[in-house]
């Protein structure tokens, strides 16, 4: 088993995902050896190449780009752009509030399933079929 396979086997046993990146010089796996917060939404991470012959060490940044699911306890000082699917959902809610679209849709759905009687006022079994 080579070093890369051993790393993969060790990672499979870890409970949390570890963000790794390949060395831009030799292609070996780099591991995070230090990290510091730059803001609430960004961290600066120092990576070191696992190939001791290469010896590369570099800094990368990890930053939140957009919101996929809104927080139920949002921080007032965090401002991230919303993903497109959240924007569509919020727009639909705004339209529903403005024009009672939800009530109109409910009435329409109820009419779709309302029973119709094509055989007159009696039941289907009470009389002869229509001409």
């Amino acid at each position: 088993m080579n070093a890369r396979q051993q790393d993969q086997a060790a990672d499979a046993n870890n409970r949390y995902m570890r963000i790794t990146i390949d060395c831009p010089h030799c292609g070996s796996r780099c591991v995070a050896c230090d990290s510091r917060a730059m803001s609430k939404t960004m961290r600066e991470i120092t990576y070191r190449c696992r190939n001791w012959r290469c010896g590369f060490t570099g800094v990368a940044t990890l930053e939140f780009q957009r919101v996929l699911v809104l927080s139920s306890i949002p921080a007032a000082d965090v401002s991230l752009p919303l993903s497109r699917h959240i924007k569509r959902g919020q727009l639909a809610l705004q339209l529903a509030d403005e024009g009672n679209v939800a009530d109109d849709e409910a009435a329409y759905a109820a009419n779709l399933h309302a029973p119709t009687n094509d055989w007159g006022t009696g039941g289907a079994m009470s009389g002869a079929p229509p001409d």
Side-chain angles (χ1 to χ4, degrees):
M1 185 180 278
N2 65 26
R4 188 159 183 99
Q5 290 172 331
Q6 288 174 346
D7 290 339
Q8 289 173 346
D11 287 344
N13 293 328
N14 289 336
R15 181 176 170 175
Y16 299 103
M17 177 190 222
R18 294 182 188 230
I19 305 300
T20 61
I21 191 169
D22 290 340
C23 175
H25 298 286
C26 71
S28 296
R29 185 175 142 194
C30 290
V31 292
C33 57
D34 193 20
S35 170
R36 69 182 182 128
M38 303 300 286
S39 70
K40 280 192 163 189
T41 60
M42 187 174 85
R43 291 194 73 81
E44 188 178 78
I45 305 167
T46 303
Y47 282 97
R48 184 176 55 231
C49 181
R50 302 247 354 224
N51 180 354
W52 63 272
R53 289 185 190 117
C54 176
F56 173 76
T57 300
V59 175
T61 56
L62 176 66
E63 182 178 18
F64 285 104
Q65 295 294 313
R66 63 186 171 276
V67 178
L68 296 177
V69 177
L70 293 170
S71 171
S72 58
I73 49 171
D77 59 340
V78 174
S79 177
L80 291 169
L82 300 177
S83 178
R84 281 190 221 146
H85 79 279
I86 290 179
K87 290 179 183 177
R88 283 194 303 265
Q90 286 184 340
L91 179 60
L93 288 175
Q94 287 174 344
L95 290 173
D97 287 342
E98 289 174 7
N100 292 327
V101 173
D103 294 337
D104 294 342
E105 287 179 2
Y108 175 75
N111 286 336
L112 283 178
H113 301 291
T116 58
N117 189 350
D118 293 338
W119 292 65
T121 56
M125 303 301 283
S126 67
D131 295 330

